[in-house]
Amino acid sequence: EKWNGERLGTKRAKKKFQVDEILDIATLDAVLPTLIKGADTIHYALGSSEKVDKLVLGSLKSKIAPQPGHPHGLRDSRVFTSQMRAIKDRYELRAIRHAIEITSKSLLQLLPQLKSMSSELHATRELEALYARFGATGLAFPTIIAAGKNATVLHHQPKHQPLWKRELVLIDTGASFKGYNADISRTVPVSGKFTETQAEIYDLVHEALKAACNKAKPGSSLEAIHEAAVKTLTTGLCDLKILRGNPADRIADGSYKRFYMHRTGHWLGLDVHDISPLFEKNGSSVSSYLQPLVAGNVFTIEPGLYFDPKDAKTPAEYRGIGIRLEENIVITENGCEVLTSHVPIE
């Protein structure tokens, strides 16, 4: 405590977290045999702790056969907790909404000031200071502010790169509040005005975002949302002659991935890329991207286009442009709500 501050202790922890019982971790090896006596199955996440792994696996050992009154099965507890995390309750949604509100207010203050910022790093520190000012408890992930061709690098880390007036700036950021996260992306011209080429790509990404959001409803899936975005982006790339041929063929052969190489969304919650719950169909586990959406699911929708500045096969006027637009979505009983609509995108 002298080094790191006051600790809760077992008595106050039990009251604060409202659980049935709290014991000192130092007593685990002594009390575990009593705790599991008479149980058939132990629910535990192997790999969480090397010490606890040994205790749990040791309790299951038997030279001949399972012993009466002792566990003889081990089941991954993360199967249950991941399913619990997939549907957010009212408390969780309040925390997520507040994280988004902090992020939105901060962005709305930062964006008009970009012209006065000396670099990506300067803008990053100003934004993160606003998060602290508005009550964030931390960052959802390291802030991405990428100017010009740096926006074609998906996870670019801000540097002393100037924000030139004729360039775009891609901002991908999120505040954290009580453990829950926001994740918003906007791409804006520093000067306040797009060039014609920048506007073409921006409008295309925006159309893909709208097409994807139209698929966000109960019974749909993250896969359906991704497919809607890919179809819109690929059709637009063909219309602009950046890709050649039929859009369906370019989707089938994956050539669109030169410019759009990531998924259109991910679950959002306690982790910014929240865990994927196990989903069973016809007795087999399948990707959570195929899981039917239900009320309480929270996720991102984030289409983008990225034109490598060194790609000689891309028309010169598009090289070095990177645009990503990202909204946070919660599924409702009858459709969805865009939680990040406070930050202008039109």
Side-chain angles (χ1 to χ4, degrees), residues 162-181:
L163 307 183
W164 303 117
K165 288 185 179 179
R166 286 184 62 80
E167 290 182 339
L168 299 176
V169 177
L170 188 159
I171 301 175
D172 189 344
T173 186
S176 180
F177 181 74
K178 291 188 175 180
Y180 288 86
N181 299 292

PDB file of all heavy atoms in Angstrom, residues 162-181:
ATOM      1  N   PRO A 162       3.582  16.838 -39.695  1.00  0.00           N
ATOM      2  CA  PRO A 162       2.715  18.022 -39.781  1.00  0.00           C
ATOM      3  C   PRO A 162       1.362  17.695 -40.400  1.00  0.00           C
ATOM      4  O   PRO A 162       1.232  16.772 -41.199  1.00  0.00           O
ATOM      5  CB  PRO A 162       3.511  18.976 -40.691  1.00  0.00           C
ATOM      6  CG  PRO A 162       4.923  18.502 -40.615  1.00  0.00           C
ATOM      7  CD  PRO A 162       4.846  17.017 -40.437  1.00  0.00           C
ATOM      8  N   LEU A 163       0.366  18.483 -40.022  1.00  0.00           N
ATOM      9  CA  LEU A 163      -0.971  18.355 -40.597  1.00  0.00           C
ATOM     10  C   LEU A 163      -1.100  19.368 -41.727  1.00  0.00           C
ATOM     11  O   LEU A 163      -1.549  20.502 -41.530  1.00  0.00           O
ATOM     12  CB  LEU A 163      -2.038  18.592 -39.524  1.00  0.00           C
ATOM     13  CG  LEU A 163      -1.926  17.765 -38.234  1.00  0.00           C
ATOM     14  CD1 LEU A 163      -3.112  18.061 -37.311  1.00  0.00           C
ATOM     15  CD2 LEU A 163      -1.859  16.283 -38.540  1.00  0.00           C
ATOM     16  N   TRP A 164      -0.673  18.971 -42.926  1.00  0.00           N
ATOM     17  CA  TRP A 164      -0.715  19.880 -44.064  1.00  0.00           C
ATOM     18  C   TRP A 164      -2.153  20.184 -44.457  1.00  0.00           C
ATOM     19  O   TRP A 164      -3.032  19.331 -44.421  1.00  0.00           O
ATOM     20  CB  TRP A 164       0.036  19.298 -45.264  1.00  0.00           C
ATOM     21  CG  TRP A 164       1.475  18.950 -44.985  1.00  0.00           C
ATOM     22  CD1 TRP A 164       2.034  17.713 -45.042  1.00  0.00           C
ATOM     23  CD2 TRP A 164       2.524  19.843 -44.592  1.00  0.00           C
ATOM     24  NE1 TRP A 164       3.371  17.766 -44.716  1.00  0.00           N
ATOM     25  CE2 TRP A 164       3.699  19.066 -44.430  1.00  0.00           C
ATOM     26  CE3 TRP A 164       2.591  21.221 -44.356  1.00  0.00           C
ATOM     27  CZ2 TRP A 164       4.920  19.610 -44.058  1.00  0.00           C
ATOM     28  CZ3 TRP A 164       3.817  21.767 -43.975  1.00  0.00           C
ATOM     29  CH2 TRP A 164       4.958  20.971 -43.830  1.00  0.00           C
ATOM     30  N   LYS A 165      -2.404  21.427 -44.884  1.00  0.00           N
ATOM     31  CA  LYS A 165      -3.776  21.887 -45.122  1.00  0.00           C
ATOM     32  C   LYS A 165      -4.500  21.116 -46.214  1.00  0.00           C
ATOM     33  O   LYS A 165      -5.708  20.966 -46.176  1.00  0.00           O
ATOM     34  CB  LYS A 165      -3.771  23.388 -45.432  1.00  0.00           C
ATOM     35  CG  LYS A 165      -3.475  24.243 -44.209  1.00  0.00           C
ATOM     36  CD  LYS A 165      -3.595  25.715 -44.518  1.00  0.00           C
ATOM     37  CE  LYS A 165      -3.326  26.542 -43.252  1.00  0.00           C
ATOM     38  NZ  LYS A 165      -3.420  27.999 -43.533  1.00  0.00           N
ATOM     39  N   ARG A 166      -3.784  20.630 -47.231  1.00  0.00           N
ATOM     40  CA  ARG A 166      -4.458  19.930 -48.321  1.00  0.00           C
ATOM     41  C   ARG A 166      -4.588  18.432 -48.049  1.00  0.00           C
ATOM     42  O   ARG A 166      -5.080  17.695 -48.908  1.00  0.00           O
ATOM     43  CB  ARG A 166      -3.704  20.164 -49.642  1.00  0.00           C
ATOM     44  CG  ARG A 166      -3.910  21.557 -50.204  1.00  0.00           C
ATOM     45  CD  ARG A 166      -3.234  21.728 -51.552  1.00  0.00           C
ATOM     46  NE  ARG A 166      -3.763  20.819 -52.567  1.00  0.00           N
ATOM     47  CZ  ARG A 166      -4.886  21.013 -53.243  1.00  0.00           C
ATOM     48  NH1 ARG A 166      -5.639  22.084 -53.001  1.00  0.00           N
ATOM     49  NH2 ARG A 166      -5.286  20.153 -54.168  1.00  0.00           N
ATOM     50  N   GLU A 167      -4.188  17.997 -46.878  1.00  0.00           N
ATOM     51  CA  GLU A 167      -4.249  16.581 -46.548  1.00  0.00           C
ATOM     52  C   GLU A 167      -5.500  16.246 -45.740  1.00  0.00           C
ATOM     53  O   GLU A 167      -6.106  17.114 -45.106  1.00  0.00           O
ATOM     54  CB  GLU A 167      -3.011  16.159 -45.757  1.00  0.00           C
ATOM     55  CG  GLU A 167      -1.727  16.149 -46.576  1.00  0.00           C
ATOM     56  CD  GLU A 167      -0.549  15.669 -45.754  1.00  0.00           C
ATOM     57  OE1 GLU A 167      -0.627  15.739 -44.505  1.00  0.00           O
ATOM     58  OE2 GLU A 167       0.440  15.228 -46.354  1.00  0.00           O
ATOM     59  N   LEU A 168      -5.819  14.958 -45.752  1.00  0.00           N
ATOM     60  CA  LEU A 168      -6.838  14.422 -44.859  1.00  0.00           C
ATOM     61  C   LEU A 168      -6.178  13.950 -43.571  1.00  0.00           C
ATOM     62  O   LEU A 168      -5.006  13.570 -43.565  1.00  0.00           O
ATOM     63  CB  LEU A 168      -7.562  13.246 -45.515  1.00  0.00           C
ATOM     64  CG  LEU A 168      -8.316  13.529 -46.819  1.00  0.00           C
ATOM     65  CD1 LEU A 168      -8.892  12.236 -47.373  1.00  0.00           C
ATOM     66  CD2 LEU A 168      -9.420  14.546 -46.593  1.00  0.00           C
ATOM     67  N   VAL A 169      -6.943  13.949 -42.495  1.00  0.00           N
ATOM     68  CA  VAL A 169      -6.481  13.385 -41.226  1.00  0.00           C
ATOM     69  C   VAL A 169      -7.483  12.324 -40.789  1.00  0.00           C
ATOM     70  O   VAL A 169      -8.679  12.605 -40.654  1.00  0.00           O
ATOM     71  CB  VAL A 169      -6.340  14.456 -40.133  1.00  0.00           C
ATOM     72  CG1 VAL A 169      -5.940  13.817 -38.809  1.00  0.00           C
ATOM     73  CG2 VAL A 169      -5.318  15.495 -40.532  1.00  0.00           C
ATOM     74  N   LEU A 170      -6.995  11.105 -40.597  1.00  0.00           N
ATOM     75  CA  LEU A 170      -7.824  10.003 -40.113  1.00  0.00           C
ATOM     76  C   LEU A 170      -7.639   9.906 -38.603  1.00  0.00           C
ATOM     77  O   LEU A 170      -6.517   9.786 -38.119  1.00  0.00           O
ATOM     78  CB  LEU A 170      -7.429   8.698 -40.804  1.00  0.00           C
ATOM     79  CG  LEU A 170      -8.318   7.466 -40.560  1.00  0.00           C
ATOM     80  CD1 LEU A 170      -8.114   6.448 -41.694  1.00  0.00           C
ATOM     81  CD2 LEU A 170      -8.029   6.779 -39.236  1.00  0.00           C
ATOM     82  N   ILE A 171      -8.747   9.949 -37.885  1.00  0.00           N
ATOM     83  CA  ILE A 171      -8.724   9.835 -36.417  1.00  0.00           C
ATOM     84  C   ILE A 171      -9.542   8.613 -36.019  1.00  0.00           C
ATOM     85  O   ILE A 171     -10.724   8.512 -36.353  1.00  0.00           O
ATOM     86  CB  ILE A 171      -9.299  11.096 -35.754  1.00  0.00           C
ATOM     87  CG1 ILE A 171      -8.500  12.330 -36.178  1.00  0.00           C
ATOM     88  CG2 ILE A 171      -9.301  10.948 -34.233  1.00  0.00           C
ATOM     89  CD1 ILE A 171      -9.083  13.641 -35.670  1.00  0.00           C
ATOM     90  N   ASP A 172      -8.902   7.691 -35.326  1.00  0.00           N
ATOM     91  CA  ASP A 172      -9.562   6.470 -34.826  1.00  0.00           C
ATOM     92  C   ASP A 172      -9.259   6.425 -33.335  1.00  0.00           C
ATOM     93  O   ASP A 172      -8.098   6.254 -32.928  1.00  0.00           O
ATOM     94  CB  ASP A 172      -9.010   5.238 -35.540  1.00  0.00           C
ATOM     95  CG  ASP A 172      -9.807   3.974 -35.227  1.00  0.00           C
ATOM     96  OD1 ASP A 172     -10.572   3.979 -34.257  1.00  0.00           O
ATOM     97  OD2 ASP A 172      -9.641   2.977 -35.954  1.00  0.00           O
ATOM     98  N   THR A 173     -10.283   6.581 -32.507  1.00  0.00           N
ATOM     99  CA  THR A 173     -10.016   6.830 -31.096  1.00  0.00           C
ATOM    100  C   THR A 173     -11.198   6.412 -30.226  1.00  0.00           C
ATOM    101  O   THR A 173     -12.299   6.185 -30.713  1.00  0.00           O
ATOM    102  CB  THR A 173      -9.719   8.335 -30.893  1.00  0.00           C
ATOM    103  OG1 THR A 173      -9.313   8.570 -29.545  1.00  0.00           O
ATOM    104  CG2 THR A 173     -10.939   9.191 -31.222  1.00  0.00           C
ATOM    105  N   GLY A 174     -10.958   6.324 -28.943  1.00  0.00           N
ATOM    106  CA  GLY A 174     -12.034   6.001 -28.017  1.00  0.00           C
ATOM    107  C   GLY A 174     -11.613   6.224 -26.575  1.00  0.00           C
ATOM    108  O   GLY A 174     -10.484   5.893 -26.196  1.00  0.00           O
ATOM    109  N   ALA A 175     -12.511   6.770 -25.799  1.00  0.00           N
ATOM    110  CA  ALA A 175     -12.309   6.885 -24.356  1.00  0.00           C
ATOM    111  C   ALA A 175     -12.854   5.627 -23.677  1.00  0.00           C
ATOM    112  O   ALA A 175     -13.685   4.904 -24.232  1.00  0.00           O
ATOM    113  CB  ALA A 175     -13.014   8.122 -23.820  1.00  0.00           C
ATOM    114  N   SER A 176     -12.386   5.403 -22.460  1.00  0.00           N
ATOM    115  CA  SER A 176     -12.867   4.292 -21.644  1.00  0.00           C
ATOM    116  C   SER A 176     -13.518   4.870 -20.397  1.00  0.00           C
ATOM    117  O   SER A 176     -13.049   5.865 -19.834  1.00  0.00           O
ATOM    118  CB  SER A 176     -11.701   3.379 -21.256  1.00  0.00           C
ATOM    119  OG  SER A 176     -12.146   2.295 -20.465  1.00  0.00           O
ATOM    120  N   PHE A 177     -14.622   4.255 -19.962  1.00  0.00           N
ATOM    121  CA  PHE A 177     -15.308   4.694 -18.748  1.00  0.00           C
ATOM    122  C   PHE A 177     -15.800   3.474 -17.992  1.00  0.00           C
ATOM    123  O   PHE A 177     -16.566   2.662 -18.520  1.00  0.00           O
ATOM    124  CB  PHE A 177     -16.485   5.615 -19.099  1.00  0.00           C
ATOM    125  CG  PHE A 177     -17.231   6.120 -17.898  1.00  0.00           C
ATOM    126  CD1 PHE A 177     -16.678   7.103 -17.081  1.00  0.00           C
ATOM    127  CD2 PHE A 177     -18.477   5.616 -17.565  1.00  0.00           C
ATOM    128  CE1 PHE A 177     -17.356   7.558 -15.960  1.00  0.00           C
ATOM    129  CE2 PHE A 177     -19.168   6.067 -16.450  1.00  0.00           C
ATOM    130  CZ  PHE A 177     -18.599   7.045 -15.641  1.00  0.00           C
ATOM    131  N   LYS A 178     -15.335   3.328 -16.754  1.00  0.00           N
ATOM    132  CA  LYS A 178     -15.693   2.190 -15.902  1.00  0.00           C
ATOM    133  C   LYS A 178     -15.474   0.855 -16.622  1.00  0.00           C
ATOM    134  O   LYS A 178     -16.261  -0.083 -16.490  1.00  0.00           O
ATOM    135  CB  LYS A 178     -17.139   2.312 -15.414  1.00  0.00           C
ATOM    136  CG  LYS A 178     -17.344   3.461 -14.428  1.00  0.00           C
ATOM    137  CD  LYS A 178     -18.727   3.429 -13.814  1.00  0.00           C
ATOM    138  CE  LYS A 178     -18.873   4.517 -12.739  1.00  0.00           C
ATOM    139  NZ  LYS A 178     -20.215   4.517 -12.114  1.00  0.00           N
ATOM    140  N   GLY A 179     -14.405   0.787 -17.395  1.00  0.00           N
ATOM    141  CA  GLY A 179     -14.033  -0.454 -18.049  1.00  0.00           C
ATOM    142  C   GLY A 179     -14.653  -0.659 -19.418  1.00  0.00           C
ATOM    143  O   GLY A 179     -14.258  -1.569 -20.141  1.00  0.00           O
ATOM    144  N   TYR A 180     -15.612   0.180 -19.787  1.00  0.00           N
ATOM    145  CA  TYR A 180     -16.284   0.031 -21.085  1.00  0.00           C
ATOM    146  C   TYR A 180     -15.768   1.072 -22.077  1.00  0.00           C
ATOM    147  O   TYR A 180     -15.362   2.165 -21.695  1.00  0.00           O
ATOM    148  CB  TYR A 180     -17.801   0.123 -20.910  1.00  0.00           C
ATOM    149  CG  TYR A 180     -18.349  -1.106 -20.238  1.00  0.00           C
ATOM    150  CD1 TYR A 180     -18.380  -1.210 -18.845  1.00  0.00           C
ATOM    151  CD2 TYR A 180     -18.782  -2.196 -20.982  1.00  0.00           C
ATOM    152  CE1 TYR A 180     -18.849  -2.348 -18.224  1.00  0.00           C
ATOM    153  CE2 TYR A 180     -19.260  -3.345 -20.378  1.00  0.00           C
ATOM    154  CZ  TYR A 180     -19.291  -3.415 -19.001  1.00  0.00           C
ATOM    155  OH  TYR A 180     -19.736  -4.557 -18.385  1.00  0.00           O
ATOM    156  N   ASN A 181     -15.811   0.711 -23.377  1.00  0.00           N
ATOM    157  CA  ASN A 181     -15.055   1.459 -24.369  1.00  0.00           C
ATOM    158  C   ASN A 181     -15.901   2.025 -25.498  1.00  0.00           C
ATOM    159  O   ASN A 181     -16.929   1.464 -25.867  1.00  0.00           O
ATOM    160  CB  ASN A 181     -13.995   0.538 -24.979  1.00  0.00           C
ATOM    161  CG  ASN A 181     -13.017   0.042 -23.932  1.00  0.00           C
ATOM    162  OD1 ASN A 181     -12.234   0.809 -23.393  1.00  0.00           O
ATOM    163  ND2 ASN A 181     -13.067  -1.246 -23.620  1.00  0.00           N
TER     164      ASN A 181
END
